[in-house]
């Protein structure tokens, strides 16, 4: 049920960071890719989507991730968005674009 929302978020997040969806689901510590994944986790959690679902959808796309990593990513974006109006605007824009 949440997968179409997840897919929509993937598209928008990849567009914001100018990366391909393939890059998003490849093990990489490149900062832009990590930040994109964190934003994806945050958006999904705000929907609200259970962490288990986020983990499952990431794995279905070839990226195995643990609960603690997802929680850490959500926390990172929450902290950034509290101090950075650009992040807040991006988050709000993406949330407005994704509907069922």
């Amino acid at each position: 049920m949440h997968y179409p929302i997840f897919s929509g978020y993937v598209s928008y997040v990849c567009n914001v960071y100018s990366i391909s969806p393939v890059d998003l689901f490849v093990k990489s510590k490149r900062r832009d890719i990590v930040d994109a994944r964190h934003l994806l986790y945050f958006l999904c959690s705000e929907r609200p989507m259970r962490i288990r679902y986020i983990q499952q959808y990431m794995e279905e796309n070839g990226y195995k991730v643990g609960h603690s990593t997802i929680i850490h990513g959500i926390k990172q974006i929450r902290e950034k968005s509290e101090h950075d109006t650009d992040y807040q605007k991006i988050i709000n824009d993406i949330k407005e674009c994704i509907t069922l």
Side-chain angles (χ1 to χ4, degrees), residues 6 13 24 34 36-46 49 54-55 58 63 65-66 69-74 77:
F6 178 84
V13 167
L24 188 66
V34 171
R37 280 195 296 257
H38 287 179
L39 181 58
L40 176 61
Y41 303 155
F42 177 81
L43 290 165
C44 289
S45 74
E46 290 284 300
M49 196 179 294
I54 300 169
Q55 187 180 29
M58 293 296 289
Y63 187 79
V65 62
T69 303
I70 295 171
I71 292 168
H72 173 75
I74 294 167
I77 296 298

Side-chain angles (χ1 to χ4, degrees), residues 28-94:
S28 172
K29 294 193 183 217
R30 219 173 75 193
R31 188 77 254 163
D32 60 336
I33 294 173
V34 171
D35 287 345
R37 280 195 296 257
H38 287 179
L39 181 58
L40 176 61
Y41 303 155
F42 177 81
L43 290 165
C44 289
S45 74
E46 290 284 300
R47 187 62 188 194
M49 196 179 294
R50 293 181 185 267
I51 291 176
R52 178 65 191 118
Y53 289 134
I54 300 169
Q55 187 180 29
Q56 176 184 338
Y57 299 148
M58 293 296 289
E59 193 168 329
E60 286 174 7
N61 283 281
Y63 187 79
K64 198 165 183 133
V65 62
H67 271 65
S68 60
T69 303
I70 295 171
I71 292 168
H72 173 75
I74 294 167
K75 181 180 172 190
Q76 291 297 309
I77 296 298
R78 187 168 287 126
E79 289 173 2
K80 283 181 185 179
S81 66
E82 288 174 0
H83 305 290
D84 189 340
T85 56
D86 292 336
Y87 259 93
Q88 293 169 4
K89 179 159 178 25
I90 290 168
I91 289 166
N92 290 333
D93 289 349
I94 293 173

